[in-house]
Amino acid sequence: VQLIPLPIAVLARISPGTEAFLREFTLSYASGLDRHAISLAPRETLTGLLLFATLAIFLLGVARLLSVVSVRTIVPPLLAFGGVLALVGIAQHALTASDLRQPLIYGFWKPTFESRPFGPFVNPNHFAGWMLMLFPVGLAAFFDSLVATIRSAPGGRSGRIDLVSSPRFGALIATSGAVLLMGLSIVLTRSRSALAAFVLAAGSV
């Protein structure tokens, strides 16, 4: 709706702030601008709309794909990626903890703005936000794997030994390791909002 060109008189009634901004800062307004959208920057608004539509189509496609293919097929690769990303962030945080200067991303790239990068993210809050999207999935996968492992455990001492050496138990250890790394990386970002969401996500699962 904000992209629809409106006559200046209508625009002044609907959005006086936009009309005042155009009058003050737009040269084409003084030369007799007839129409303008409510948005101050229609091209950027259109870019945002296209990005939203693209992500919406992607979301619908993923939902359709997951209705055909089990979610369990995509969870292990996601957890593997999340675990590696968390390990990179933790390592970078540890190596630059005593550095009073602005640390570099991956040790190579200097951020444009003064900040303390965490992994590939310039802002630690962004890193924590990304991890928070995957952490509940990993936690749910861990509990699912734990329940399945316990139910498949045969009785007796020899059965417990066989269980520990089984691939199912190995998958459980790998899942728990990825979840622990992701949880630790969220805590190390020191993001208050992320920590609050982290507690809520852990409690909801």
Side-chain angles (χ1 to χ4, degrees):
V1 173
Q2 294 187 28
L3 292 174
I4 300 175
L6 299 174
I8 295 300
V10 178
L11 181 64
R13 263 185 248 152
I14 295 177
S15 181
T18 301
E19 193 272 337
F21 181 88
L22 294 175
R23 186 177 353 105
E24 191 75 21
F25 297 101
T26 306
L27 295 176
S28 59
Y29 186 90
S31 61
L33 184 66
D34 295 329
R35 291 174 173 269
H36 197 277
I38 296 177
S39 172
L40 294 176
R43 183 175 299 177
E44 285 73 12
T45 303
L46 179 61
T47 301
L49 177 62
L50 292 176
L51 288 173
F52 173 80
T54 303
L55 291 175
I57 294 171
F58 176 74
L59 175 63
L60 293 175
V62 171
R64 176 58 181 166
L65 176 65
L66 294 181
S67 66
V68 178
V69 182
S70 174
V71 178
R72 288 184 174 88
T73 58
I74 67 169
V75 170
L78 284 176
L79 291 183
F81 182 79
V84 172
L85 184 63
L87 189 60
V88 169
I90 292 171
Q92 178 173 325
H93 177 78
L95 293 174
T96 60
S98 60
D99 191 359
L100 299 178
R101 298 170 301 171
Q102 182 180 3
L104 305 178
I105 301 176
Y106 293 143
F108 296 100
W109 296 286
K110 182 178 180 180
T112 304
F113 304 101
E114 185 177 351
S115 63
R116 189 166 193 84
F118 204 99
F121 293 86
V122 176
N123 191 330
N125 293 312
H126 298 166
F127 178 92
W130 192 96
M131 279 295 167
L132 282 169
M133 291 189 290
L134 186 57
F135 177 77
V137 177
L139 202 56
F142 167 74
F143 285 123
D144 181 66
S145 180
L146 178 63
V147 171
T149 303
I150 293 174
R151 288 178 178 175
S152 65
R157 183 175 180 181
S158 61
R160 290 194 292 270
I161 295 176
D162 292 338
L163 177 65
V164 171
S165 60
S166 66
R168 189 184 293 272
F169 189 81
L172 176 63
I173 295 300
T175 303
S176 62
V179 171
L180 285 174
L181 284 174
M182 289 189 292
L184 179 60
S185 67
I186 294 174
V187 172
L188 289 177
T189 59
R190 298 180 182 179
S191 172
R192 293 187 293 269
S193 58
L195 291 175
F198 173 74
V199 173
L200 291 175
S204 63
V205 173

